[in-house]
Amino acid sequence: MGRGHVRQTDERYPSGMSFWGVQCWTVGFSDSSQQQREAECEQFRLKHCPHRISRFESFFACESAELLDIYFDFLLDTNKTANPGLEDDYVIFEVRSEEAAFKGDMKLINSRDYDRYWRGESRQDTIWEVLLRLPVLIEHDVITDSDR
């Protein structure tokens, strides 16, 4: 679900920033609460677990095709205010990466439980997201918005 890799020079992000990172830092969102959560989450990571990959440097994925509906229903529900038209603007790919850098429960971001998120803990109704270190290799399209 990523939109590519952007080279952005900053000592905190030596590998460059993802589209998501640039969106968070420079463009912003119409829903400032989402931008605020992302900024808080990043500040927590920098202070308490800088060894973890930044969400701003990552390609976001889910673990399997079977989880796509749950993953996207959650994303669309939580991001429709911040990113109007998101449901009309995505393509899902099967990707390959050298390593899964981190796996976290997306719901912990929304509840601002950054400590548990960065420790890889989960809630009872977990929706996992996998942060992949860029670059990733796109294997092929799985589904497009017109197929949903």
Side-chain angles (χ1 to χ4, degrees):
M1 162 156 163
R3 294 190 186 191
H5 186 218
V6 178
R7 293 294 289 172
Q8 181 95 5
T9 55
D10 186 310
E11 66 271 3
R12 292 171 295 189
Y13 313 107
S15 300
M17 295 178 89
S18 65
F19 179 83
W20 180 249
V22 172
Q23 178 79 18
C24 290
W25 278 122
T26 61
V27 179
F29 302 102
S30 57
D31 175 5
S32 62
S33 66
Q34 181 182 17
Q35 189 170 8
Q36 182 65 35
R37 281 191 308 270
E38 287 293 336
E40 291 169 359
C41 185
E42 179 63 3
Q43 290 304 312
F44 185 94
R45 182 196 70 80
L46 288 167
K47 183 175 182 180
H48 299 286
C49 45
H51 61 284
R52 296 271 192 224
I53 187 172
S54 171
R55 293 170 55 82
F56 298 158
E57 298 177 284
S58 300
F59 184 96
F60 293 79
C62 68
E63 293 183 290
S64 69
E66 293 77 33
L67 298 174
L68 284 173
D69 285 336
I70 295 168
Y71 185 80
F72 267 95
D73 286 348
F74 180 78
L75 285 177
L76 293 175
D77 186 50
T78 59
N79 291 311
K80 63 185 165 198
T81 304
N83 297 297
L86 178 65
E87 65 276 3
D88 300 325
D89 185 29
Y90 66 85
V91 177
I92 300 170
F93 298 101
E94 182 176 318
V95 298
R96 187 167 19 130
S97 176
E98 294 297 318
E99 64 177 297
F102 181 75
K103 183 172 116 174
D105 181 352
M106 294 191 318
K107 289 188 172 186
L108 292 173
I109 297 284
N110 283 1
S111 64
R112 290 184 153 90
D113 193 346
Y114 309 123
D115 183 46
R116 288 182 62 206
Y117 175 83
W118 287 115
R119 283 190 280 144
E121 294 181 6
S122 64
R123 297 166 32 142
Q124 186 175 7
D125 55 345
T126 298
I127 299 179
W128 293 112
E129 66 182 354
V130 179
L131 308 184
L132 301 175
R133 193 169 307 279
L134 291 168
V136 298
L137 178 64
I138 296 176
E139 295 285 320
H140 56 84
D141 292 21
V142 173
I143 187 172
T144 63
D145 57 299
S146 60
D147 295 327
R148 284 186 57 88

